[in-house]
Amino acid sequence: MSRITLSNISKSFGRVTVIHNVNIDIADGEFVVFVGPSGCGKSTLLRLIAGLEKISEGQLLIDNRVVNDLTPKERRIAMVFQSYALYPHMTVYENMAFGLKIGRKNRAEVQKRVNTAAETLQLEKYLKRRPAELSGGQRQRVAIGRAIVRKPDVFLFDEPLSNLDAALRVKTRLEIAKLHEKLKTTIVYVTHDQVEAMTLADKIVVLREGRVEQIGTPLELYHEPANVFVAGFIGSPRMNLIAAKVTSTKNNHIVLNLPDNSTINLQRENHSCKTGDLLTVGIRPEHLITTNKGEQLQLTISVYASEHLGDISYLYGRLTDKTDIVVSGAGTIVCKADEKIFLTAEQQHIHLFSKEGRI
């Protein structure tokens, strides 16, 4: 069992608190990704789990055992860092075997574990090479192999793909996913790349300024973001966010005025909105569709750029108040600069947020 529980975890450096009362429950064998912008505290939180930083307040439990005062070795975790941290004078085999030799494992056991890890990561033919003779992706696999041979209860990954080029990131990402499927070990993975988070995670923890904004599956965060921050962070391109003002409310309906003076009538049960409230309307680029004048929701944008990627096209435009809007559509869409187009969206694809969160 390798369940991890973070209970009211806080971390301070002097008078500055960087992690604020975090509560997360990670199930045995679960792949959990911490995601958020630079400086949100995700790597610090990972280091607290690893035992590389001391917890200021709260309890950290692994397998229902409080580990606050245990060393990293006693926590039975293995960590893969952003930098490969390989010994340049050692071969791949020696790098992977080093920790086991320090732990005084016998030669037969060391050889068995290294060979098994090398087979899993397709490194068999590189065991006699040194890191300088490997590609970036191969070095990262060696770093992962060095963690695998220890047979830890928990793997911790700190932005392991950030030093790789785009093609290698995709390939290595798939290898990590396959590795988790094979080993069934609990993985906590840190990244600023929401695409990595969406494709790898069983569960995503979105962080901002040391606080948890939302925890959920990738699809829960995509379709039901808890607030404007999550809505704007999860998804590529990001969700379109449009300022709106409540003009009237009746029963379970909210009538909103948008920047280009169009109106929208949304049905929301048990809402507490009042006339005059300032809200945010969210619509994902793929849910905006071109239309003719006269729709119930109609946004008019002036297109200033377009991108054609073959199977998909992106149109970039602005509302009259300079709010940027992105439209995602079929690759056959053609639109000239400064052309005006009319957009609409179906009710079920329109999100509504107040300062407190999702409505």
Side-chain angles (χ1 to χ4, degrees):
M1 293 291 290
S2 50
R3 179 177 178 178
I4 304 172
T5 303
L6 290 82
S7 179
N8 301 314
I9 295 291
S10 294
K11 173 62 180 176
S12 299
F13 294 99
R15 296 182 179 180
V16 179
T17 301
V18 295
I19 301 294
H20 303 266
N21 196 39
V22 167
N23 292 277
I24 305 170
D25 191 23
I26 301 171
D28 178 41
E30 197 168 33
F31 197 130
V32 173
V33 176
F34 295 166
V35 70
S38 297
C40 70
K42 53 190 183 293
S43 290
T44 300
L45 201 55
L46 195 75
R47 291 173 65 84
L48 292 175
I49 296 174
L52 301 176
E53 297 285 356
K54 189 172 180 61
I55 295 170
S56 300
E57 294 181 22
Q59 283 190 331
L60 173 66
L61 291 86
I62 300 178
D63 296 342
N64 297 316
R65 178 180 62 154
V66 178
V67 299
N68 289 43
D69 298 321
L70 298 185
T71 66
K73 181 180 178 180
E74 292 171 320
R75 299 184 188 198
R76 289 189 52 79
I77 57 93
M79 191 162 180
V80 179
F81 296 90
Q82 179 177 345
S83 59
Y84 314 125
L86 302 177
Y87 296 107
H89 63 288
M90 292 184 181
T91 64
V92 168
Y93 182 95
E94 290 167 341
N95 267 283
M96 293 171 67
F98 184 74
L100 299 178
K101 290 179 179 178
I102 293 297
R104 299 190 177 182
K105 298 290 182 182
N106 65 64
R107 180 177 297 179
E109 178 68 12
V110 171
Q111 187 171 8
K112 179 182 177 181
R113 291 197 190 185
V114 171
N115 287 338
T116 300
E119 182 180 354
T120 299
L121 295 167
Q122 300 177 16
L123 290 170
E124 304 103 305
K125 62 182 180 181
Y126 304 109
L127 289 175
K128 294 182 180 180
R129 296 189 187 182
R130 288 184 169 81
E133 301 172 289
L134 303 176
S135 68
Q138 290 163 348
R139 293 178 199 177
Q140 191 57 273
R141 277 187 279 160
V142 175
I144 294 171
R146 185 175 54 190
I148 290 175
V149 298
R150 295 181 53 198
K151 294 185 176 179
D153 293 333
V154 178
F155 285 104
L156 305 179
F157 288 83
D158 189 7
E159 302 203 43
L161 309 185
S162 59
N163 291 330
L164 305 180
D165 62 38
L168 271 178
R169 276 203 301 273
V170 173
K171 184 177 180 181
T172 310
R173 188 174 74 215
L174 292 173
E175 288 173 350
I176 291 173
K178 288 190 291 184
L179 181 67
H180 178 248
E181 183 64 26
K182 182 174 183 178
L183 299 180
K184 307 294 184 184
T185 307
T186 304
I187 293 179
V188 183
Y189 186 106
V190 161
T191 182
H192 65 276
D193 186 338
Q194 55 91 23
V195 174
E196 283 181 35
M198 292 289 288
T199 53
L200 285 172
D202 297 320
K203 183 165 67 183
I204 297 175
V205 179
V206 182
L207 294 162
R208 178 173 61 159
E209 297 179 354
R211 294 179 172 84
V212 174
E213 293 289 327
Q214 188 174 358
I215 300 174
T217 66
L219 290 182
E220 285 173 347
L221 268 61
Y222 190 82
H223 294 296
E224 298 180 6
N227 53 42
V228 169
F229 176 78
V230 177
F233 191 83
I234 298 295
S236 180
R238 59 172 283 171
M239 181 183 287
N240 295 298
L241 299 170
I242 307 165
K245 185 175 183 179
V246 178
T247 57
S248 69
T249 62
K250 183 182 293 186
N251 298 327
N252 292 325
H253 288 266
I254 306 170
V255 180
L256 300 161
N257 185 51
L258 301 181
D260 58 357
N261 292 320
S262 61
T263 60
I264 178 174
N265 188 333
L266 295 179
Q267 185 173 351
R268 293 292 188 273
E269 295 183 2
N270 302 319
H271 70 81
S272 58
C273 297
K274 303 182 296 297
T275 299
D277 284 353
L278 300 178
L279 305 178
T280 301
V281 172
I283 308 173
R284 294 208 176 273
E286 66 270 25
H287 294 148
L288 281 170
I289 53 179
T290 55
T291 183
N292 297 316
K293 288 187 176 182
E295 291 286 344
Q296 193 272 324
L297 166 65
Q298 181 182 288
L299 299 174
T300 304
I301 68 168
S302 178
V303 176
Y304 62 84
S306 59
E307 294 177 336
H308 304 288
L309 307 180
D311 62 329
I312 193 169
S313 291
Y314 297 116
L315 303 180
Y316 299 88
R318 291 191 179 98
L319 299 176
T320 54
D321 71 337
K322 305 302 181 182
T323 298
D324 284 309
I325 300 292
V326 182
V327 183
S328 171
T332 55
I333 292 178
V334 177
C335 195
K336 299 177 181 178
D338 296 325
E339 183 177 342
K340 285 185 167 48
I341 60 173
F342 306 107
L343 303 169
T344 190
E346 297 178 357
Q347 278 264 346
Q348 66 267 29
H349 296 315
I350 301 174
H351 305 264
L352 190 59
F353 305 96
S354 67
K355 291 182 180 179
E356 288 72 33
R358 183 183 182 86
I359 297 175

